[in-house]
Amino acid sequence: MIYRSKNRELLKRQMRPVPAPANEAPELGFGTRASIRGQRLVLQDGTFNVKRVGERSNIVGNAFHHLITMSWSKFFGMLVIAFIIANIIFAGVYYLLGVQHLQGMIGTTFFDEITESFFFSTQTLTTLGYGRISPVGFWTSFVAAIESMLGLLSFAMATGLLYGRFSHPDANIIYSKAAIIAPYRGGRGLMFRIANGRRNQLIELEALVTLARDEGQNGEVKRKFYFLDLELKKISVLSSSWTIVHPIIEGSPFFGMTASDIASTESEVLVQIKAFDETYSQNVYSRSSYTDREIVFGAKFISAFSTEEDGTQVIDLRKIDDYEEAVLPLQKLTG
């Protein structure tokens, strides 16, 4: 591993010169330190590959953000677990106060008594109250009153969280698994495809694509960033799919580079998509990235479109990743 790392740094320093791109970007918040062991800057799910430590404590704000951004399965699982734990605690309190203070209980064994206490707790927490079992005595009634109040508050909070989750739009953009360097208008182009993973309408889409790579400078390897010029930066509507193309011409940071050059510089293509979601009437964003291992040299995408007998155009989202080999034309400097 050490030998491979030294080889890569040597390649970065000895990489043959290419025309200096005019669109070098300032540091984008990731720092200029060279990548380590092929670590990507942006994960494929759009999150940043950054570990945060020393954050200021904000339990309420952090908890709210976590609850409205976690997956639906985790959210409902957390609600069920919290509901069960709360009722187990109150059932234990009722049992310790004495089941004789729960009028209407018919169980005689420990299991029956604790079970009936648990279900009485669920009916009290949800303010349902079937009426067969009722509290008798001050302390049992007091605990039941506290539980009812907590039940009202907890369900109000759960309702608010559900609203927050539904009113928090996200763009379900599908990205092709690989970016390709393909023949393009007599030259070459870096391409990848995106599609809308939902049936809602996304309009006024904008794409921002940035290249991050390690370069040798004054005997030191640093991370540099370049904005990539696109064939189309904006489209009106994402009704099917969009093949985003960066023409590799003179001035492009990819111009004159080979597959080994891209690998040796730990190149990563960062993608950000901005769109307007008609359903929510809000802007939505999506991010992803392609590392050098996900950039295929000498390929072209296979069409994902077909036409039915009545002329209806069909896009098969399962084919958005499909590509085939292609011969790339040679690139030469002019002038």
Side-chain angles (χ1 to χ4, degrees), residues 87-207:
N87 283 292
I88 289 175
I89 293 173
F90 277 104
V93 173
Y94 291 129
Y95 185 82
L96 292 175
L97 289 173
V99 294
Q100 67 272 17
H101 297 297
L102 295 178
Q103 185 176 347
M105 181 175 289
I106 59 177
T108 57
T109 66
F110 169 77
F111 179 78
D112 291 338
E113 290 176 347
I114 199 69
T115 301
E116 288 197 71
S117 298
F118 176 83
F119 287 115
F120 169 72
S121 174
T122 62
Q123 296 161 22
T124 304
L125 188 67
T126 58
T127 67
L128 181 60
Y130 286 114
R132 182 175 69 84
I133 301 177
S134 57
V136 177
F138 175 79
W139 288 111
T140 304
S141 299
F142 177 78
V143 172
I146 295 297
E147 185 177 12
S148 298
M149 182 186 69
L150 293 177
L152 290 172
L153 292 176
S154 61
F155 280 98
M157 290 177 61
T159 302
L161 289 172
L162 283 172
Y163 175 78
R165 293 179 65 87
F166 279 114
S167 62
H168 177 70
D170 63 325
N172 186 17
I173 299 292
I174 300 174
Y175 294 85
S176 58
K177 293 181 179 179
I180 63 173
I181 294 182
Y184 176 73
R185 295 186 177 180
R188 301 178 181 183
L190 172 73
M191 308 178 186
F192 58 92
R193 292 198 287 202
I194 66 171
N196 187 0
R198 296 195 181 102
R199 294 181 179 270
N200 63 328
Q201 294 298 323
L202 296 178
I203 63 174
E204 299 178 0
L205 283 89
E206 299 180 24

